[in-house]
Amino acid sequence: MNDKFNKMNKQQSLDTLNGLSKNTLMETLNIEFTDVGVDYITAKMPVNSKVHQPYGILHGGATAALAETVGSSASAFFLNDTGKIVKGIELSINHLKSKRDGEVFATAKAIHQGRTTHLWEVKIVDEENNLISLCKIINIVLDKK
């Protein structure tokens, strides 16, 4: 593992990422960042009645919120420039498997990190590493106003 992400720095990074969730949709959905490495970020979300659709399975919108959270956070984290902000401009998601309970884990990995746009692949899996959804998010990098 890269020195940038030694155990102490990893925990500090996770604390920072999780701290940004206070009083947001991420807190409402109980999204928690669980891992960060040199080229990825992972977060988990519980699957329960709070994120179900009427048929008692994980709502696609909650899944999309998890994917956008992880992909946008990854852009901002790896950009590491306080003079810039990151906004999602396109999200596509394919739901491949249903989930009724437990947890899902979303991992964002960069496909492209340019000066003004970032493209991330986000894989959402369950506890047994079954692929639940596959996502693509494009973020734009803007100057802070």
Side-chain angles (χ1 to χ4, degrees):
M1 180 172 265
N2 185 315
D3 289 339
K4 180 179 177 185
F5 294 102
N6 65 36
K7 192 171 188 172
M8 185 169 52
N9 286 340
K10 179 185 262 193
Q11 190 57 54
Q12 289 171 339
S13 296
L14 291 171
D15 291 346
T16 298
L17 287 163
N18 285 313
L20 297 172
S21 296
K22 190 161 179 62
N23 298 317
T24 68
L25 177 66
M26 289 80 75
E27 183 177 61
T28 300
L29 296 177
N30 293 314
I31 294 171
E32 178 186 355
F33 291 93
T34 59
D35 199 9
V36 59
V38 295
D39 66 347
Y40 69 91
I41 288 183
T42 300
K44 69 179 179 177
M45 182 178 72
V47 179
N48 53 41
S49 61
K50 284 175 58 175
V51 296
H52 281 170
Q53 45 98 307
Y55 296 120
I57 58 175
L58 178 59
H59 192 291
T63 307
L66 174 62
E68 183 150 354
T69 296
V70 175
S72 294
S73 296
S75 273
F77 180 79
F78 290 110
L79 183 64
N80 195 25
D81 183 340
T82 58
K84 304 284 185 183
I85 61 169
V86 173
K87 294 183 179 182
I89 58 173
E90 183 177 339
L91 177 70
S92 66
I93 184 166
N94 296 99
H95 304 294
L96 305 168
K97 185 174 171 118
S98 298
K99 182 84 174 142
R100 291 193 179 280
D101 55 24
E103 294 179 317
V104 288
F105 302 84
T107 299
K109 287 196 169 195
I111 296 170
H112 169 75
Q113 288 178 279
R115 283 185 308 110
T116 57
T117 60
H118 293 178
L119 172 61
W120 293 86
E121 176 186 76
V122 181
K123 288 185 179 179
I124 298 176
V125 300
D126 66 10
E127 305 91 338
E128 296 163 4
N129 209 34
N130 295 308
L131 187 60
I132 303 298
S133 297
L134 184 61
C135 317
K136 176 186 79 171
I137 180 169
I138 300 171
N139 298 316
I140 190 166
V141 179
L142 301 168
D143 291 327
K144 263 188 185 173
K145 292 182 179 181

